[in-house]
Amino acid sequence: LTTYHEEHEAVVRDLGHQVRAIKKSWDWNPRAEFVILAMRVKIIQTNDSKTLAENIFAELWKFKVINVIVAIKTPDGSDEPSLDLFTWFPYHPPGRCGKEVEAVMMDRWIGDTGHFLNNVSLYPPKIPRYFRGCTLTTSAFVYEPLVGLKKYTKNPTRVLYDEGIEVKLLEIMTRSVNMSIIFTEPPRDGWKWGFQEDNGSWTGITGEVIRGDTDIAMDNWWYRCHIINEIECLYPHTYDEVRWYVPCPKPYPRWMSITRVFRGSLW
């Protein structure tokens, strides 16, 4: 992605618009490797590049984009034109859980047709095997036997659901990667799974996932990835089978058509 704005706020806003446009495409893949080129941005002090990169990472994190490199022109004063390349690690150190954004300069490109200064990997692994208790925000509502009755805890107040098939399944998944679950209240718009409105937006738990309010949705959420390209479906764990019965008339032989033109009394 390339932006030609000079002001920092305009750069971040422009990149957000570009990612939203790409997200509507069927080719959208947040796990792809992104390169951001901010070639005309105003950089006065060295720390300005780091601050701008952190603001860009925070904007792209809303779309779950992690493998991204931001290339910013090195502040004036260097011997030859160069680009500073920044990235970030949302889960390092442990416990950060993507809530704090800190840009790290991975490398520097020196010269117009030059070389990398450090020649390191620009896309190192960023997703750990264990998340050290990071939270998985989950959209849910009562839908037995998949999600049981809603209840609350005190100090702090949290939403919980009694044991259900999907609740137990989610607990097994999160336990295997050392994550914790946070359930949200049922959709405030009153819809459960949700539907698509005239303006293209979705209501219910579907809209919560698309907007990034939550990370995952439950409640026998039927497979919609063939009609919604802004979400990603896990492997189904329940199946419904439907059989369609269509009446097919049995044709008469051609030789019988003569006798069916008029009634027998007429013949």
Side-chain angles (χ1 to χ4, degrees), residues 211-231:
R211 293 190 300 270
D213 299 337
T214 58
D215 301 316
I216 192 172
M218 300 175 58
D219 289 289
N220 202 30
W221 193 86
W222 53 274
Y223 195 94
R224 302 185 180 188
C225 288
H226 61 296
I227 59 176
I228 309 175
N229 58 348
E230 300 169 279
I231 60 175

Side-chain angles (χ1 to χ4, degrees), residues 151-187:
K151 57 184 180 180
Y152 296 91
T153 62
K154 296 181 179 180
N155 300 324
T157 302
R158 294 178 56 189
V159 179
L160 295 177
Y161 289 90
D162 284 337
E163 293 186 359
I165 298 176
E166 289 192 355
V167 173
K168 297 298 294 183
L169 179 61
L170 187 63
E171 289 176 351
I172 294 174
M173 294 168 56
T174 54
R175 192 182 305 117
S176 64
V177 294
N178 194 9
M179 296 187 73
S180 58
I181 307 172
I182 292 183
F183 290 105
T184 61
E185 293 281 358

Side-chain angles (χ1 to χ4, degrees), residues 86-100:
F86 293 89
T87 190
W88 76 303
F89 298 88
Y91 298 100
H92 183 80
R96 174 172 289 178
C97 302
K99 297 179 181 179
E100 300 177 10

Side-chain angles (χ1 to χ4, degrees), residues 109-237:
W109 176 262
I110 300 176
D112 294 333
T113 59
H115 60 278
F116 288 109
L117 180 63
N118 301 323
N119 199 27
V120 299
S121 174
L122 299 181
Y123 297 98
K126 296 183 179 182
I127 306 297
R129 178 65 178 85
Y130 299 99
F131 289 85
R132 305 290 182 90
C134 293
T135 58
L136 183 70
T137 307
T138 306
S139 295
F141 53 85
V142 177
Y143 191 72
E144 297 179 307
L146 301 177
V147 179
L149 297 177
K150 183 176 62 176
K151 57 184 180 180
Y152 296 91
T153 62
K154 296 181 179 180
N155 300 324
T157 302
R158 294 178 56 189
V159 179
L160 295 177
Y161 289 90
D162 284 337
E163 293 186 359
I165 298 176
E166 289 192 355
V167 173
K168 297 298 294 183
L169 179 61
L170 187 63
E171 289 176 351
I172 294 174
M173 294 168 56
T174 54
R175 192 182 305 117
S176 64
V177 294
N178 194 9
M179 296 187 73
S180 58
I181 307 172
I182 292 183
F183 290 105
T184 61
E185 293 281 358
R188 296 180 179 179
D189 53 26
W191 298 102
K192 294 182 178 180
W193 297 277
F195 65 94
Q196 190 174 24
E197 297 181 315
D198 295 337
N199 59 5
S201 62
W202 282 80
T203 62
I205 60 176
T206 304
E208 292 179 349
V209 175
I210 291 178
R211 293 190 300 270
D213 299 337
T214 58
D215 301 316
I216 192 172
M218 300 175 58
D219 289 289
N220 202 30
W221 193 86
W222 53 274
Y223 195 94
R224 302 185 180 188
C225 288
H226 61 296
I227 59 176
I228 309 175
N229 58 348
E230 300 169 279
I231 60 175
E232 183 176 3
C233 295
L234 303 179
Y235 288 103
H237 61 86

